[in-house]
Amino acid sequence: MGELGVCLAHTQDGAWFAIDDTCTHEDCSLSQGDLEDHAVECPCHGSRFDLTTGDVLNLPAVVPVRTHRVTVEGEAVRVEVEDG
Ligand code: FES
């Protein structure tokens, strides 16, 4: 079992999202980026990723990131990461 970085986002409307932390363009950390509605902007070259689908919203990245299911129980936030 290896390690996987996750970008956990809590948006202004109270929703939680989790996507792979590594940008598919050049491996920057998406958790260091800015949130804008339901998207995160990569801090390195500005590609934005849709938090609900993982889709790329603008270049230079072209490959989507994986999304992960998030559940909230009380003060516990759980992220389910599937293998692969
Ligand atoms: S590393 Fe994320 S857009 Fe380039």
Side-chain angles (χ1 to χ4, degrees):
M1 184 183 308
E3 288 186 18
L4 173 71
V6 170
C7 172
L8 182 64
H10 189 204
T11 56
Q12 285 190 328
D13 61 3
W16 290 88
F17 300 94
I19 60 174
D20 283 353
D21 187 47
T22 304
C23 180
T24 57
H25 178 231
E26 287 187 0
D27 299 340
C28 286
S29 171
L30 294 175
S31 62
Q32 302 302 310
D34 290 331
L35 275 180
E36 179 187 311
D37 297 324
H38 284 183
V40 63
E41 181 178 288
C42 179
C44 290
H45 310 105
S47 281
R48 291 179 306 122
F49 294 86
D50 186 314
L51 291 167
T52 61
T53 63
D55 288 344
V56 178
L57 300 175
N58 60 279
L59 298 170
V62 293
V63 177
V65 290
R66 292 189 311 160
T67 59
H68 307 288
R69 180 178 151 89
V70 180
T71 55
V72 180
E73 296 174 21
E75 295 184 359
V77 179
R78 298 183 201 286
V79 178
E80 297 175 32
V81 177
E82 295 181 15
D83 290 339

